[in-house]
C-alpha cells in the first residue's frame, strides 16, 4: 500500500507550472472516436483517469501513440469493438462520455455504468434525456447502458432542456450531436471552461458548435469530421488547489500556464480572507499572511460560481481561519466526508445536511487520515502541509486520479512530502488499531 507522508509547517515558495485539465481531457480523448483519422492531443495530464480512458480506447481498437510526455496521437479509424470493458469503465466516472461518442459515430453503444469517486447520487437521466431527444433508444439494465438508433441509422438533431445544470450531460450530448443530422439545441447547459474546450476541439475537427460558455449551446451536426491538432486547457482545479496550498502554508507561490479568469470565484474568497492574489497574463501569484485569515462563507454553484471541486480543499484552509465559516454544498450530497478525517487533525466542524459550520482553530495537528475521494484527498494534503507534525494519508489512488505529479510539484516549492510504500500487513494492523 502506498501512502503520502507529510511533515507540516513548511511555507511553499517558488513556481509551479499547471498541467492540462483533467475534466477537459477525459471528454476530449473520447471525442476522437468521432473521427475516422488521427487526432493529436497536446497538454494531456499524466494522471490515472487519462491512462484509463486511453486504455479503453485501445481495447476498442484505437491506435494510440505517445509523441512525448504530454502529447498523444489517437487514431480511431479501425475501431472493432463497441462494447466497453467493464473492469476499466467501473474505475472512472468519465467513461460515460463513450456512450455519446460511440452512439454518435456508430449508432450503437454498450457501456458499463461509470465508477469513479462516490459523491452521492449522480444519475445519468439527463444524459439519457438528450440521447432520446435525438432519436436514440436507451435502456439501463444489469449495470450496462444500452443505446442505439433504431435501424442503426443516424441520430437526428433535437431540442434538449436539462432539468438540472449538468456538466457531464452537456458534454455527452455535445459528443452525440456532432455527427447527428441537423441542429441540436441544449438549453440550461453548463458553462464550465472544459465545456468550452470540448466545443473548441469539436470545431477544430469540422463541427460547428455555438454558444459554449452560455446556457444555450447549438451543435450543427456534420456528416464527417476530420482529424485535428488540439491543446487541452490548463487545469482549473489544480490551479485552485495549489493557490489554496500556498495560502494555507503562508507561502509565496507563482502558478504559470494557468488561466486567471477561470479562478475569479476562488481569488475573490482568498482576498476576502486576507491572502494576496495577483495576476498577469497566464500567471497567478498567491502570497499568504502571518496575521491569520478571516473566516468566510462559501456556497458551491455552477460556473462561474464557486466550484464544488474546490470546496473540499478550501475547507482545509477554513479550519484554521479566525471565527466561524459556513460552507454550503449545492452540487453533491456527500461531499463533507473529508471533514471527519480533518477532525482527527483537530478541526472543529458541525454538519447540518448540506451545510458545514467550521469553527477555526489556531493549529491543525498531523494524524493518520484516509482520502475518501479525489478532492477530499487534495484537502487532506493541504491540511497536512499546514499542520504541526506528521500527517499520513492512505488511499492516495484517489488523489493520483486527478493531479499530475502532485508530490513532485509540492516538493519543488519546499514541501516535506513523500510517497512511501507500507507493507499490506502493517496497513491492516494500523486499520485494526484505529
Amino acid at each position: 500500500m502506498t501512502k503520502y507522508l507529510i511533515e507540516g509547517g513548511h511555507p511553499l515558495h517558488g513556481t509551479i507550472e499547471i498541467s492540462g485539465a483533467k475534466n477537459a481531457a477525459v471528454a476530449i480523448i473520447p471525442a476522437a472516436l468521432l473521427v475516422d483519422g488521427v487526432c493529436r492531443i497536446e497538454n494531456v495530464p499524466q494522471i490515472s483517469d487519462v491512462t484509463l480512458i486511453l486504455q479503453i480506447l485501445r481495447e476498442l481498437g484505437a491506435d494510440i501513440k505517445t509523441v512525448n510526455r504530454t502529447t498523444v496521437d489517437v487514431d480511431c479509424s479501425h475501431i472493432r469493438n463497441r462494447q466497453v470493458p467493464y473492469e476499466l469503465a467501473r474505475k472512472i466516472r468519465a467513461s460515460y462520455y463513450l456512450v455519446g461518442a460511440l452512439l454518435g459515430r456508430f449508432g450503437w453503444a454498450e457501456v458499463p455504468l461509470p465508477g469513479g469517486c462516490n459523491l452521492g447520487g449522480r444519475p445519468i437521466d439527463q444524459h439519457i434525456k438528450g440521447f432520446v431527444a435525438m432519436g436514440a433508444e436507451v435502456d439501463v439494465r444489469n449495470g450496462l447502458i444500452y443505446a442505439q438508433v433504431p435501424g442503426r441509422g443516424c441520430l437526428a438533431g433535437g431540442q434538449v432542456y436539462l432539468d438540472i445544470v449538468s456538466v457531464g450531460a452537456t458534454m455527452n450530448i455535445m459528443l452525440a450531436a456532432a455527427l447527428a443530422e441537423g441542429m441540436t439545441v441544449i438549453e440550461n447547459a453548463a458553462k464550465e471552461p472544459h465545456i468550452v474546450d470540448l466545443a473548441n476541439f469539436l470545431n477544430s475537427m469540422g463541427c460547428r458548435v455555438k454558444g459554449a460558455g452560455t446556457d444555450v449551446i447549438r451543435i450543427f451536426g456534420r456528416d464527417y469530421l476530420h482529424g485535428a491538432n488540439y491543446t487541452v486547457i490548463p487545469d482549473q482545479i489544480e490551479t485552485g488547489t495549489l493557490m489554496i496550498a500556498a495560502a494555507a502554508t503562508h507561502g509565496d507561490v507563482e502558478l504559470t500556464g494557468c488561466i486567471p479568469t477561470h479562478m475569479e470565484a476562488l481569488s475573490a474568497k482568498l482576498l476576502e480572507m486576507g491572502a494576496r492574489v495577483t495576476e498577469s497574463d497566464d500567471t497567478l501569484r498567491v502570497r499568504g499572511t502571518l496575521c491569520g485569515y478571516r473566516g468566510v462563507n462559501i456556497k458551491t454553484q455552477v460556473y462561474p460560481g464557486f466550484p464544488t471541486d474546490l470546496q473540499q480543499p478550501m475547507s482545509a484552509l477554513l479550519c484554521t481561519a479566525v471565527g466561524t465559516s459556513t460552507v454550503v454544498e449545492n452540487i453533491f450530497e456527500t461531499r463533507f466526508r473529508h471533514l471527519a478525517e480533518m477532525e482527527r487533525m483537530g478541526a472543529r466542524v458541525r454538519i447540518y445536511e448540506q451545510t458545514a459550520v467550521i469553527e477555526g482553530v489556531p493549529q491543525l495537528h498531523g494524524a493518520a487520515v484516509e482520502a475518501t475521494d479525489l478532492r477530499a484527498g487534495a484537502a487532506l494534503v493541504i491540511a497536512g502541509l499546514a499542520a504541526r507534525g506528521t500527517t499520513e494519508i492512505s488511499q492516495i489512488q484517489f488523489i493520483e486520479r486527478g493531479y499530475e505529479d502532485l508530490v513532485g510539484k509540492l516538493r519543488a516549492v519546499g514541501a516535506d512530502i513523500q510517497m512511501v510504500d507500507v507493507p499490506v500487513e502493517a496497513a491492516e494492523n494500523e486499520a485494526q488499531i484505529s
Side-chain angles (χ1 to χ4, degrees):
M1 178 182 291
T2 306
K3 298 183 178 183
Y4 288 164
L5 205 61
I6 303 172
E7 189 67 33
H10 300 278
L12 304 184
H13 289 276
T15 301
I16 303 176
E17 184 174 357
I18 299 301
S19 301
K22 164 192 175 287
N23 290 331
V26 295
I28 285 172
I29 293 171
L33 281 165
L34 298 167
V35 178
D36 188 4
V38 179
C39 291
R40 173 163 290 187
I41 306 172
E42 301 175 340
N43 202 31
V44 176
Q46 300 299 295
I47 54 176
S48 61
D49 270 16
V50 166
T51 301
L52 282 168
I53 281 288
L54 291 171
Q55 190 175 349
I56 289 172
L57 290 191
R58 285 192 181 95
E59 292 291 326
L60 296 178
D63 182 16
I64 311 287
K65 292 182 179 178
T66 301
V67 179
N68 56 46
R69 190 179 65 83
T70 61
T71 303
V72 293
D73 284 348
V74 182
D75 185 354
C76 295
S77 302
H78 306 292
I79 295 295
R80 60 180 180 271
N81 180 16
R82 297 166 216 168
Q83 294 177 310
V84 176
Y86 169 78
E87 284 302 318
L88 296 177
R90 72 181 183 86
K91 296 178 181 179
I92 178 173
R93 185 69 186 173
S95 59
Y96 54 37
Y97 293 132
L98 297 162
V99 181
L102 290 169
L103 185 61
R105 180 172 173 185
F106 300 109
W108 180 83
E110 182 180 310
V111 179
L113 287 168
C117 294
N118 180 10
L119 302 176
R122 293 196 283 179
I124 61 167
D125 57 316
Q126 298 303 298
H127 303 238
I128 294 172
K129 180 179 183 180
F131 300 149
V132 170
M134 288 184 279
E137 295 177 349
V138 184
D139 187 21
V140 180
R141 64 181 188 275
N142 301 324
L144 293 169
I145 306 167
Y146 298 90
Q148 65 177 349
V149 180
R152 299 288 170 84
C154 177
L155 291 170
Q159 189 92 10
V160 185
Y161 182 89
L162 297 178
D163 300 319
I164 59 171
V165 177
S166 167
V167 172
T170 299
M171 297 174 87
N172 222 348
I173 295 166
M174 289 168 64
L175 291 169
L179 290 173
E181 293 180 354
M183 179 179 69
T184 299
V185 180
I186 308 173
E187 297 183 84
N188 199 32
K191 297 178 280 190
E192 272 71 6
H194 37 287
I195 289 173
V196 178
D197 210 32
L198 175 61
N200 289 339
F201 181 52
L202 293 173
N203 287 337
S204 74
M205 297 190 296
C207 192
R208 188 177 165 212
V209 182
K210 291 190 170 184
T214 74
D215 56 7
V216 179
I217 300 176
R218 292 176 171 83
I219 306 101
F220 299 84
R222 291 287 188 258
D223 295 332
Y224 170 82
L225 298 178
H226 55 75
N229 291 1
Y230 192 76
T231 302
V232 176
I233 60 170
D235 196 301
Q236 172 196 14
I237 306 305
E238 182 194 25
T239 303
T241 300
L242 294 171
M243 289 172 68
I244 296 167
T249 61
H250 308 283
D252 183 351
V253 176
E254 188 173 74
L255 303 170
T256 61
C258 61
I259 302 178
T261 54
H262 290 172
M263 309 311 306
E264 289 176 350
L266 174 61
S267 295
K269 286 298 176 183
L270 290 177
L271 289 167
E272 184 181 346
M273 292 184 71
R276 289 170 290 175
V277 182
T278 55
E279 63 181 67
S280 60
D281 298 327
D282 65 348
T283 300
L284 276 165
R285 183 182 180 187
V286 178
R287 287 171 286 176
T289 175
L290 296 176
C291 299
Y293 294 110
R294 296 181 289 273
V296 296
N297 298 328
I298 291 172
K299 293 183 179 180
T300 63
Q301 299 173 329
V302 297
Y303 188 83
F306 195 92
T308 181
D309 281 354
L310 290 178
Q311 175 263 109
Q312 291 156 294
M314 189 65 170
S315 66
L317 177 59
L318 295 177
C319 283
T320 56
V322 176
T324 302
S325 300
T326 301
V327 179
V328 179
E329 175 54 61
N330 291 311
I331 310 299
F332 293 120
E333 62 196 44
T334 61
R335 211 156 199 181
F336 287 141
R337 290 185 296 166
H338 65 293
L339 292 174
E341 298 299 305
M342 287 189 185
E343 286 182 308
R344 294 172 178 260
M345 304 177 71
R348 295 177 185 170
V349 182
R350 300 189 306 276
I351 299 175
Y352 308 94
E353 296 182 347
Q354 296 303 104
T355 300
V357 179
I358 302 173
E359 298 285 347
V361 297
Q363 181 74 62
L364 294 176
H365 300 274
V369 292
E370 180 177 302
T372 55
D373 61 71
L374 168 55
R375 308 306 175 184
L380 294 175
V381 169
I382 291 170
L385 293 171
R388 179 180 297 152
T390 303
T391 298
E392 185 179 282
I393 305 176
S394 59
Q395 300 299 324
I396 65 168
Q397 72 273 8
F398 288 113
I399 306 171
E400 300 288 307
R401 282 188 50 225
Y403 292 94
E404 178 180 339
D405 190 23
L406 182 61
V407 170
K409 289 184 177 184
L410 290 173
R411 286 175 63 88
V413 291
D416 187 346
I417 177 174
Q418 56 185 314
M419 193 180 296
V420 296
D421 289 322
V422 179
V424 174
E425 296 82 4
E428 290 175 347
N429 291 335
E430 287 178 14
Q432 291 173 359
I433 292 171
S434 61

